């Protein structure tokens, strides 16, 4: 197919480069520079989709991002498929594959069209009305049926194979829209030396100039002026031009989100280029030159394929060289209809008639139409169209003083409509700017700005070319001046262009058809008719916000670009209330639908989140470890051997630590170096314990509370010197603890001479635990004495281990003799390997976090965040001993004094032993005193930790139970789905209660 | 068990050194892993600032977000009382000793953080463009001049960023975040030639 509707010459398409593509599997040909819509029109194809609710055949209405109908799915395969793209914005390239939507089995014959006949059963708000019927009908009938019938495109079935990138940008002046006003604004701002970004959603910049045939700017044809202006801007280093870039969101403090379509228009995109790029622009000043959208007219059957906006038809002819039909009826309320008629007539489209709502059209365009022999019918409306998949005729009737005249049918394959222009105030409204009603223009225009922003040109009602250029230049200059000072040279634009005037129409046009069957569409995408809106007002709705939600008008993906004003007009007429008193609904981002990919950017797959690994991670991988996530850290969970399951591996690792020696990577522990003359004083205030008397070289277990007296974190702390502490925190708590400390230091105690430095990643930490720990380490140690006599439990020494400077802690989280060796991170793996080698003769066993958890639970050591939940006092978890009662103050002290903090029925930490030692309780399980009382059974506690203990040969558990310590020795119950488990309350220290194993 | 080792993620975890070795220079931007350096976190009261600079061999910058350099050494202003003292290729211990001797009795904190982070150089005419894919700051030369340094973020990781030449930025990032940063930079570099 060559494009039977293509004009022989003209337009901005590249006729030397034919492009073939498919639509619904059928091959077509267009030219480089075509959109899918223009190429289909050039091939005589208007039927491109089925409507949302009634499945009515639909065609192409517009030529831009306001298109409500022509939504298509595009993509060569499922991994590159995007639904709901506007055919008017899709640029064709060789091999492009597009498909229509919401039709079954085919576009020409769609079973869902039965809804159109059933439409009296689907009035406005029918969706809400179903809620009033039996609830059962909703789940069994309405939801599945509505879901199957409604909707537009389908989601792709394969993961998105494209790349997306994100970019932060800053500029002095961001200009949105590269029509005449935007170009002039960019010229002015750029001339001051300001950093300017000019973006436009279309493939080519120029806006209305791209369809201009007769206008002159500074004595140049408009398109020539455009080319020169773009070249001028492109040559300036301070200007960034972003075509194919939609400003879709206006966020606080002049943050504007732009979606750039980088490579969708290319047949064979460079794989190094992303598909789309998100620009997050922080602009000092913004100029919104977003233009205006043509309003459709609301008359019966105005949705038949072949009915389109007049100025869009003109764009297809002038810009794309595509004739939208052979014989057209024009229905207009303004001069734009005449301009379109003249342009179409110039390329051989027969204009059957111009039906003008106005009583006496006059002016240059009307005269030219009459001179061209076009039949102009003033005071005339279109009351319907005929045809099935394409319009075949329109009925016209003359407006009398009281009624319509007789209907007259006119054959045509194209109906053009123009109700005037509506300024595009979407972004202005998103920026929370206040819109004002302009009675002369009968539209909303930007009023008071909230952000540092100004609108220019048609977007504030200045529709004439000369006005738009002058206004754009002035606003661009003012924006640059406000952003960084400096003024633009004075400049004026000499233009020769037709004036369209300010006529137009808002609301439905009159007809005499049976209102039960005449469908005059207001919102094409959501299938809302004038009748639906009138019904809503009859049912009592007054607020436009309520009417919008009840009828769904303006709620589709096009956000009512073509429908909002007409809906307002209909409500205004129905309620006999002026438009400004009815208000306007809120515009929300995104301006046009935006891909999920662009929001994800590079943050997907392995780059979704940082995977933090320790210096010993590689060794763990090579030695078969399984891992668990702790925050962003990957921690070795267990090191299973060939053929071993998780339980067997953990049991083996536990036995090894208890009987000989184990090796554990504790590098993820949070570490903070607290240094300064007032370090001990600071420690005293932040921790519950007393620190003044801790000697250098000794360790102490510290507990930290929040202001409310509940346990926040814990850890072992070494005093390295009188003015230096080496603090450890929980793995997950490190950033929180540092922020907590900094907060107090900076806001409460700025007088203290002490400073905090995170050293979490400075040190690799290797825990050597078990009765043979000292024998394993001893041969590797230099410049320090780790003998039992010289280095008792809970002390710290500095020296060298395996030749590397080290801080060695004698500390145990297992209950066994233990050391934690801190070495600079880059030496972590080498030192680990040296210790591993040294331990071979004792069968040294690397173990993971699961084994660590079991071993500490056997000793009744809590894990903050597992035993505690932010509501546990130190006493609740048996840490009362760590609270310095004699201390003057510490964070949380006052809260601990509250009576409820020492109430006897608080949940307290206890051990649980199942009566059947083989049963392992479930963590989180609830505990009751008597399972046989009527429900709801009072729950008196919950299981916090539960494991199989190898050394004890039975299960153990820790639990928080109300008044738990007083219940030790008694029996309680854990009801589970499979039956009630009986437990005995026990001391929480199950193994070596006297602590004799630390110092072997 | 399968043949591929479990790394704790569905993806291979590639050590930073391997990532750096595999990286190819680009026309727009190149990445380079910087050699080891002594890094000391210095904090202190007014009285300690002058002597610290004197002992380190350069005056500590007092202007916000600026660094001073002398020879290979540099001092990065990170806060009104906070600097990072950088000495590439040096061992931290003697440096600590020198500084502590000069600061005896003056209220201060000096902490060796040499191993905490690694340095990555991003260079080339498109270096700022590459960095702006994860860093929200304005990296235009007038807003982020040569000699500027600051704590900031790159995607989900905190970094210290400084500009040593029009086309050269240096990133200092905590060790465990470095492979993530490196891979994001490689991704950001695609399409820049």
């Amino acid at each position: 197919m060559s494009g039977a509707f293509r004009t022989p010459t003209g337009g901005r398409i590249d006729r030397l480069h034919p492009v073939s593509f498919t639509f619904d599997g059928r091959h077509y040909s267009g030219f480089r520079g075509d959109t899918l819509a223009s190429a289909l029109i050039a091939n005589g194809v208007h039927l491109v989709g089925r409507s949302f609710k009634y499945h009515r055949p639909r065609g192409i209405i517009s030529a831009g991002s306001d298109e409500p109908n022509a939504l298509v799915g595009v993509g060569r395969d499922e991994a590159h498929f995007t639904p709901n793209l506007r055919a008017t914005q899709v640029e064709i390239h060789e091999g492009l594959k597009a498909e229509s939507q919401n039709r079954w089995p085919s576009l020409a014959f769609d079973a869902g069209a039965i809804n159109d006949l059933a439409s009296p059963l689907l009035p406005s708000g029918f969706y809400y009305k179903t809620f009033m019927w039996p609830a059962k009908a909703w789940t069994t009938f309405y939801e599945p049926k509505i879901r199957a019938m409604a909707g537009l495109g389908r989601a792709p079935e394969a993961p998105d194979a494209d790349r997306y990138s994100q970019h932060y940008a800053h500029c002095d002046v961001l200009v949105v829209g590269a029509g005449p006003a935007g170009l002039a604004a960019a010229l002015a701002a750029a001339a001051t030396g300001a950093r300017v970004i000019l973006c436009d959603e279309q493939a080519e910049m120029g806006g209305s100039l791209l369809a201009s045939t007769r206008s002159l700017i500074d004595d140049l044809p408009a398109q020539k002026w455009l080319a020169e202006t773009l070249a001028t801007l492109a040559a300036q280093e301070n200007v960034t031009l972003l075509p194919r870039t939609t400003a879709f969101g206006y966020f606080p403090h002049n943050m504007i989100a732009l979606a750039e379509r980088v490579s969708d228009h290319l047949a064979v995109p460079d794989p190094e280029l992303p598909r789309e790029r998100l620009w997050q622009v922080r602009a000092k000043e913004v100029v919104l030159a977003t233009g205006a959208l043509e309003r459709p007219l609301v008359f019966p059957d105005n949705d038949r394929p072949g009915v389109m906006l007049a100025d869009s038809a003109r764009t297809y002819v002038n810009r794309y060289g595509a004739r939208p039909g052979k014989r057209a009826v024009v229905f207009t309320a303004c001069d734009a209809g005449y301009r379109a008629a003249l342009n179409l007539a110039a390329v051989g489209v027969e204009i059957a008639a111009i039906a003008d709502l106005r009583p006496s059209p006059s002016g240059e365009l009307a005269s030219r139409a009459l001179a061209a022999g076009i039949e102009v019918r003033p005071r005339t409306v279109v009351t319907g169209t005929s045809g099935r998949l394409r319009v075949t005729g329109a009925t016209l009737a003359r407006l009398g003083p009281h009624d319509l005249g007789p209907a007259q049918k006119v054959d045509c394959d194209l109906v053009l409509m123009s109700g005037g222009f509506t300024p595009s105030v979407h972004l202005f409204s998103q920026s929370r700017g206040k819109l004002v009603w302009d009675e002369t223009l009968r539209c909303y225009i930007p009023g008071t700005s909230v952000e540092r922003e100004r609108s220019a040109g048609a977007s504030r009602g200045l529709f004439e070319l000369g006005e738009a250029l002058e206004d754009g230049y002035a606003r661009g200059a003012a924006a640059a001046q406000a952003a960084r000072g400096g003024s633009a040279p004075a400049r004026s634009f000499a233009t020769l262009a037709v004036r369209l005037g300010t006529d137009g129409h808002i609301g439905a046009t009159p007809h005499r058809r049976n209102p039960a069957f005449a469908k005059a569409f207001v919102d094409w995408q959501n299938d809302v008719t004038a009748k639906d809106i009138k019904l809503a007002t009859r049912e009592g709705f007054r607020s436009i916000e309520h009417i919008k939600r009840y009828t769904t008008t303006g709620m589709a993906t096009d956000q009512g670009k073509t429908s909002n004003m007409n809906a307002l007009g209909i409500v205004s007429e129905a309620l006999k209330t002026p438009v400004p008193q009815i208000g306007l609904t809120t515009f929300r981002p995104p301006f046009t639908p935006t891909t999920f990919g662009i929001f994800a950017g590079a943050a997907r797959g392995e780059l979704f989140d940082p995977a933090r690994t320790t210096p010993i991670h590689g060794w763990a991988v090579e030695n078969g470890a399984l891992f668990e996530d702790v925050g962003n850290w990957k921690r070795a969970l267990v090191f299973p051997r060939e053929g071993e399951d998780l339980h067997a591996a953990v049991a083996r690792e536990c036995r090894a630590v208890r009987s000989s020696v184990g090796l554990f990577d504790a590098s993820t522990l949070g570490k903070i170096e607290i240094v300064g003359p007032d370090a001990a004083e600071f420690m005293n205030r932040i921790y519950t314990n007393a620190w003044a008397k801790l000697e250098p070289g000794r360790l102490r277990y510290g507990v930290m509370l929040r202001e409310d007296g509940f346990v926040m974190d814990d850890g072992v702390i070494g005093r390295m010197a009188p003015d230096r502490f080496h603090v450890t925190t929980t793995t997950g708590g490190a950033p929180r603890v540092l922020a907590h400390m900094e907060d107090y230091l900076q806001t409460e105690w700025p007088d203290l001479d002490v400073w905090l430095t995170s050293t979490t990643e400075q040190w690799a930490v290797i825990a050597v635990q078990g009765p043979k720990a000292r024998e394993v380490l001893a041969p590797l140690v230099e410049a320090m004495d780790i003998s039992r006599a010289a280095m008792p439990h809970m002390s710290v020494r500095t020296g060298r281990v395996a030749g590397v400077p080290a801080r060695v802690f004698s500390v145990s989280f297992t209950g066994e003799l233990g050391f934690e060796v801190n070495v600079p991170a880059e030496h972590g793996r080498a030192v680990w390997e040296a210790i591993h080698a040294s331990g071979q003769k004792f069968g040294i066993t690397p173990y993971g976090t699961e084994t660590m958890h079991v071993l500490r639970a056997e000793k009744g050591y809590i894990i903050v965040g597992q035993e505690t939940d932010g509501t546990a006092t130190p006493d609740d978890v048996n840490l009362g001993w760590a609270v310095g009662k004699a201390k003057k103050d510490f964070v949380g002290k006052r809260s601990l004094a509250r009576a409820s903090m020492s109430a006897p029925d608080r949940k307290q930490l206890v051990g649980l032993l199942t009566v059947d030692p083989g049963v392992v309780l479930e963590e989180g399980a609830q505990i009751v005193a008597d399972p046989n009382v009527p429900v709801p059974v009072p729950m008196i506690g919950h299981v916090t930790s539960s494991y199989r203990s190898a050394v004890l040969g039975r299960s153990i558990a820790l639990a928080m139970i109300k008044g738990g310590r007083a219940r030790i020795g008694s029996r309680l119950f854990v009801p589970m789905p499979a039956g009630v488990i009986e437990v005995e309350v026990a001391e929480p220290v199950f193994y070596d209660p006297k602590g004799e194993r630390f110092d072997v | 068990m399968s043949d591929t080792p479990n790394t704790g993620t569905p993806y291979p975890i590639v050590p930073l050194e391997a990532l750096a070795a595999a990286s190819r220079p680009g026309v727009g931007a190149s990445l380079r892993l910087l050699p080891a350096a002594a890094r000391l976190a210095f904090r202190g009261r007014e009285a300690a600032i002058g002597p610290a600079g004197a002992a380190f061999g350069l005056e500590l910058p007092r202007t916000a977000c600026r660094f001073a350099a002398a020879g290979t050494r540099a001092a990065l202003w990170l806060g009104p009382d906070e600097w990072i003292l950088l000495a590439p290729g040096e061992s931290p211990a003697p440096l600590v000793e020198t500084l502590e001797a000069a600061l005896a009795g003056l209220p201060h904190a000096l902490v060796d953080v040499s191993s905490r982070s690694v340095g990555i150089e991003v260079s080339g005419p498109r270096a700022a463009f590459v960095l702006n894919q994860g860093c929200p700051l304005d990296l235009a030369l007038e807003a982020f001049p040569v000699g500027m340094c600051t704590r900031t973020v790159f995607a989900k990781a905190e970094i210290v960023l400084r500009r040593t030449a029009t086309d050269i930025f240096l990133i200092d990032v905590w060790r465990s975040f470095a492979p993530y940063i490196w891979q994001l930079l490689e991704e950001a570099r695609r399409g820049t030639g």
Side-chain angles (χ1 to χ4, degrees):
Chain A
M1 285 215 172
S2 58
F5 286 79
R6 190 70 75 180
T7 60
T9 56
R12 298 180 66 87
I13 43 167
D14 179 356
R15 292 173 192 261
L16 296 177
H17 286 98
V19 170
S20 63
F21 65 98
T22 66
F23 178 64
D24 280 345
R26 212 166 149 189
H27 289 268
Y28 295 97
S29 171
F31 291 117
R32 192 181 285 176
D34 261 326
T35 63
L36 179 60
S38 70
L40 287 172
I41 285 175
N43 283 282
V45 177
H46 280 246
L47 173 66
V48 289
R50 287 277 176 168
S51 74
F52 183 69
K53 183 166 144 188
Y54 302 125
H55 288 246
R56 284 167 69 102
R58 286 288 168 81
I60 298 157
I61 285 192
S62 79
S65 63
D66 51 339
E67 176 60 37
N69 270 354
L71 302 186
V72 295
V74 176
R76 61 181 185 272
D77 53 39
E78 286 298 315
H80 296 87
F81 180 82
T82 310
N84 293 334
L85 290 176
R86 291 148 301 283
T88 49
Q89 286 189 298
V90 173
E91 294 172 62
I92 59 165
H93 58 70
E94 191 61 33
L96 178 104
K97 262 176 76 178
E99 63 181 50
S100 59
Q101 301 184 157
N102 203 32
R103 80 286 187 263
W104 181 87
S106 76
L107 190 53
F109 177 77
D110 174 21
I114 189 80
N115 282 8
D116 196 20
L117 300 174
S119 62
L121 304 177
L122 301 170
S124 53
F126 83 97
Y127 185 82
Y128 302 108
K129 284 163 180 158
T130 64
F131 289 135
M132 298 180 211
W133 288 12
K136 213 171 161 194
W138 179 247
T139 52
T140 57
F141 179 72
Y142 289 119
E143 187 180 349
K145 295 292 173 214
I146 292 171
R147 279 207 193 287
M149 291 305 295
L152 295 164
R154 62 181 182 83
E157 283 161 15
D160 191 342
D162 281 309
R163 289 170 57 236
Y164 298 82
S165 77
Q166 299 178 335
H167 193 77
Y168 294 97
H170 298 256
C171 64
D172 295 313
V173 180
L174 169 69
V175 182
V176 179
L183 289 168
L187 281 173
T192 68
R195 284 197 284 163
V196 177
I197 295 178
L198 173 62
C199 71
D200 191 280
E201 63 178 350
Q202 299 198 39
E204 282 192 279
M205 291 189 157
S208 60
L209 302 180
L210 296 168
S212 167
T213 50
R214 299 165 63 103
S215 301
L216 299 179
I217 305 173
D218 292 342
D219 298 327
L220 291 175
Q223 298 207 18
K224 179 112 173 65
W225 181 88
L226 170 62
E228 289 188 3
T229 300
L230 286 174
T232 304
L233 289 170
Q236 283 173 270
E237 244 180 50
N238 55 330
V239 178
T240 304
L241 298 179
L242 295 175
R244 297 189 180 89
T245 303
T246 304
F248 68 83
Y250 201 131
F251 302 99
H253 308 293
N254 265 6
M255 164 77 96
I256 293 89
L258 317 178
E260 181 188 7
R261 295 175 297 281
V262 180
S263 58
D264 262 0
H265 62 291
L266 303 170
V268 189
D270 178 350
E272 296 302 299
L273 288 179
R275 178 186 176 215
E276 295 180 346
R277 182 179 286 130
L278 173 69
W279 292 77
Q280 296 177 77
V281 180
R282 187 74 74 176
K284 287 200 183 115
E285 296 287 333
V286 172
V287 177
L288 296 175
T290 46
L293 296 172
E294 194 172 19
R295 267 193 314 281
L297 289 169
V298 180
F299 59 91
D301 312 326
N302 61 349
D303 66 328
R304 198 149 266 146
V307 179
M308 43 190 327
L309 289 163
D311 207 53
S312 297
R314 176 174 162 263
T315 295
Y316 285 117
V317 167
N318 291 353
R319 178 168 166 191
Y320 298 104
R323 293 188 198 98
K326 291 179 175 152
R327 183 176 155 87
V329 166
V330 180
F331 184 19
T332 188
C334 63
D335 286 359
Y338 291 82
R339 185 171 64 175
L342 287 162
N343 283 181
L344 263 66
V347 295
V349 179
E350 184 187 346
I351 307 299
I354 296 177
D356 196 323
L357 260 176
R358 298 172 295 181
S360 48
S362 61
E364 181 198 339
L365 284 161
S367 315
R368 272 170 48 198
L370 288 168
I374 296 173
E375 183 190 344
V376 175
R377 303 190 189 183
R379 217 190 289 273
T380 300
V381 293
V382 174
T383 60
T385 63
S386 55
R388 200 172 73 84
L389 302 177
R390 177 75 189 262
V391 70
T392 56
T395 45
L396 276 55
R398 197 170 160 83
L399 285 165
H402 306 294
D403 201 356
L404 291 181
Q408 188 207 344
K409 189 176 169 195
V410 178
D411 288 341
C412 62
D413 61 353
L414 183 65
V415 175
L416 304 186
M417 53 185 173
S418 182
F421 291 86
T422 305
S424 259
V425 294
H426 307 72
L427 289 173
F428 175 79
S429 175
Q430 282 184 29
S431 79
R432 313 307 295 165
K434 267 214 127 22
L435 292 163
V436 293
W437 175 254
D438 186 306
E439 193 52 50
T440 317
L441 299 173
R442 293 192 49 76
C443 61
Y444 281 102
I445 57 172
T448 314
S449 294
V450 170
E451 293 284 349
R452 295 183 57 150
E453 152 281 329
R454 59 208 81 210
S455 296
S459 73
R460 68 185 196 105
L462 301 171
F463 297 126
E464 198 266 323
L465 178 61
E467 282 175 343
L469 286 165
E470 301 286 353
D471 188 50
Y473 195 81
R475 300 261 159 171
Q481 169 82 42
R484 57 185 281 152
S487 54
R491 179 165 176 183
S492 65
F493 299 87
T495 56
L496 186 68
V498 69
R499 300 189 82 93
L500 287 179
T502 57
D503 290 342
H505 182 78
I506 294 171
T509 56
H511 64 82
R512 261 193 327 193
R513 306 261 304 272
N514 179 347
F517 296 102
K519 287 198 180 71
F521 283 88
V522 177
D523 181 333
W524 277 255
Q525 202 172 101
N526 263 357
D527 266 358
V528 181
T529 64
K531 186 187 64 178
D532 292 329
I533 292 171
K534 287 176 193 158
L535 176 64
T537 63
R538 282 203 304 280
E539 290 188 6
F541 289 93
R542 291 295 177 269
S543 157
I544 192 66
E545 294 283 5
H546 289 150
I547 291 167
K548 168 180 168 177
R549 280 154 186 80
Y550 191 61
T551 62
T552 74
T553 188
M555 287 180 70
T557 65
D558 66 345
Q559 293 217 7
K561 289 184 179 64
T562 47
S563 63
N564 279 343
M565 289 310 295
N566 282 331
L568 271 180
I570 293 166
V571 173
S572 164
E573 194 189 319
L575 298 179
K576 307 276 177 267
T577 308
V579 170
Q581 285 179 33
I582 294 164
L584 185 64
T585 55
T586 312
F587 296 92
R588 296 192 173 82
F591 175 71
T592 47
T594 307
T595 60
F596 285 116
I598 206 168
F599 293 114
R604 53 190 286 189
E606 60 186 314
L607 295 177
F608 175 65
D609 229 11
R612 302 178 71 183
T613 59
T614 74
I616 295 148
H617 186 84
W619 191 95
V621 170
E622 289 159 29
N623 286 272
L626 301 180
F627 293 87
E628 68 165 340
D629 289 346
V630 182
N632 286 125
W633 288 104
K634 304 292 169 191
R635 299 198 71 181
L637 178 73
V638 61
F639 291 80
R641 289 182 181 164
E642 199 67 40
E644 224 176 24
D645 69 8
L646 194 74
H647 289 304
V650 171
R652 172 181 52 73
E653 291 176 6
C654 286
R655 277 192 301 269
V657 174
R658 294 269 180 246
S659 63
S660 180
V661 64
L663 192 58
F664 177 70
D665 179 5
S667 303
T668 63
L669 275 184
K671 299 166 213 77
I672 300 165
E673 193 110 324
I674 296 182
V675 185
D678 293 325
E681 175 59 23
F682 177 75
M683 293 294 293
N684 262 343
R685 297 185 192 182
I686 278 286
Y687 284 89
T688 62
N689 319 60
W691 298 92
K693 292 193 180 129
L694 183 73
E695 289 167 24
R698 295 307 305 248
L699 304 177
R700 179 164 288 166
Y701 170 77
V703 178
M704 173 186 292
L705 308 183
R706 297 191 310 240
E707 190 77 55
D708 59 13
F710 296 125
V711 174
M712 175 181 172
D713 205 79
D714 67 350
V716 168
I717 293 146
R719 188 161 197 174
M720 308 309 299
D723 63 349
R724 184 176 295 256
F725 290 84
H726 177 128
V727 169
T728 67
T729 74
T730 56
T731 293
R736 190 168 60 239
V737 168
L738 184 62
H740 172 82
M741 288 179 170
E742 278 289 1
D743 188 5
Y744 274 96
L745 189 53
Q746 291 183 25
T747 63
E748 302 293 327
W749 314 316
D751 54 307
L752 291 186
D753 282 341
V754 60
W755 294 272
L756 317 170
T757 304
S758 171
T759 49
T760 300
E761 300 230 30
Q762 165 74 11
W763 304 103
V765 184
I766 302 158
V768 190
Q769 300 279 312
K772 300 294 183 196
R774 185 171 274 123
E775 288 168 70
V776 171
L777 266 192
L780 302 173
V781 164
E782 299 163 64
M784 65 180 146
D785 185 355
I786 65 161
S787 68
R788 192 179 166 188
M791 191 177 183
H793 183 53
M794 293 300 270
S795 51
V796 55
R797 299 288 180 268
T798 54
R800 301 173 85 80
V801 174
V804 173
R807 289 177 179 177
V808 177
F809 287 29
S810 59
V811 68
S812 171
F813 198 46
T814 59
E816 303 297 330
L817 168 69
F819 296 91
E820 286 182 0
V821 179
N822 293 262
V823 291
E826 71 271 27
H827 301 299
R829 178 161 178 170
V831 174
W832 171 280
E833 286 176 350
I835 297 172
H836 189 251
S838 169
Q840 283 310 305
K841 55 179 169 292
F842 306 105
I844 194 167
T845 301
Y847 66 94
T849 49
E850 185 66 13
T851 296
M852 178 268 282
H853 280 136
V854 177
L855 295 171
R856 65 89 204 176
E858 288 172 348
K859 287 291 294 177
Y861 296 149
I862 66 157
I863 289 183
V864 172
Q866 183 155 345
E867 268 62 55
T868 69
D869 58 2
T871 65
T873 67
D875 183 63
D876 293 344
V877 287
N878 299 338
L879 295 175
W881 59 269
V883 178
K885 308 275 188 311
K887 278 170 54 172
K888 194 164 89 248
D889 199 8
F890 56 82
V891 176
K893 183 177 166 78
R894 277 186 67 206
S895 299
L896 286 183
R898 290 167 54 225
S900 66
M901 299 294 263
S902 49
D905 66 340
R906 291 188 61 82
K907 281 188 177 181
Q908 293 166 337
L909 179 71
V910 291
L912 291 183
L913 292 168
T914 49
V915 172
D916 175 351
V919 173
V920 181
L921 295 171
E922 210 165 287
E923 288 176 358
Q926 294 293 320
I927 298 158
V928 303
D930 180 356
N932 298 315
V933 300
V935 288
V937 184
M939 292 178 286
I940 60 169
H942 64 279
V943 178
T944 58
S945 294
S946 176
Y947 307 98
R948 217 183 289 266
S949 165
V951 71
L952 299 170
R954 59 153 303 136
S955 69
I956 56 166
L958 297 173
M960 294 294 288
I961 295 178
K962 284 185 180 174
R965 285 199 285 272
R967 295 179 192 265
I968 288 174
S970 69
R971 291 201 169 183
L972 295 173
F973 301 89
V974 180
M976 296 299 290
V980 175
I981 301 166
E982 192 171 6
V983 296
E984 186 177 309
V985 184
E987 290 286 351
V989 185
F990 300 99
Y991 183 70
D992 185 29
K994 291 190 183 134
E996 293 165 340
R997 299 183 64 83
F998 297 128
D999 250 343
V1000 292
Chain B
M1 289 176 74
S2 70
D3 292 339
T4 43
N6 184 314
T7 61
T9 83
Y11 312 102
I13 289 182
V14 186
L16 184 62
E17 294 71 19
L19 292 170
S23 185
R24 297 283 160 261
V27 177
S30 302
L31 305 180
R32 185 167 70 92
L33 189 57
L34 296 174
R39 293 176 182 82
L40 305 183
F42 169 73
R43 316 264 322 247
R45 296 289 186 205
E46 188 61 40
I49 296 169
F56 187 56
L58 52 81
E59 197 175 337
L60 302 191
R62 304 300 294 268
T63 308
C65 298
R66 290 296 183 273
F67 65 88
T72 56
R73 290 186 178 181
L76 282 59
W77 185 102
L78 291 184
D81 66 350
E82 181 177 4
W83 290 263
I84 286 284
L85 310 181
L86 261 173
E90 295 186 46
S91 150
L95 200 52
V96 169
E97 210 169 300
T98 309
L99 280 153
E100 288 291 17
L103 294 167
L106 300 171
H108 75 282
L110 191 67
V111 178
D112 177 12
V113 289
S114 305
S115 306
R116 183 174 70 173
S117 53
V118 296
I120 299 171
E121 178 190 85
V122 186
S123 63
R126 302 272 279 162
F129 177 85
V130 167
L131 282 165
N132 263 147
Q133 294 186 44
C135 173
L137 294 180
D138 188 353
L139 299 180
L141 202 55
E142 63 179 26
F144 200 107
V146 174
M148 181 163 168
C149 64
T150 185
R151 274 200 188 94
T152 179
V153 295
F154 190 84
K156 295 181 185 172
E158 183 180 305
I159 60 171
V160 173
L161 183 67
R162 68 192 157 117
R163 188 176 214 158
T164 57
T166 303
D167 286 354
I168 302 178
F169 291 87
L170 304 184
I171 290 172
D172 205 63
V173 58
W174 285 10
R175 179 171 290 275
S176 70
F177 290 99
Y180 167 76
I181 292 275
W182 188 284
Q183 288 175 84
L184 276 177
L185 287 168
E186 287 285 15
E187 178 70 18
R189 207 159 70 95
R190 289 177 67 176
T192 62

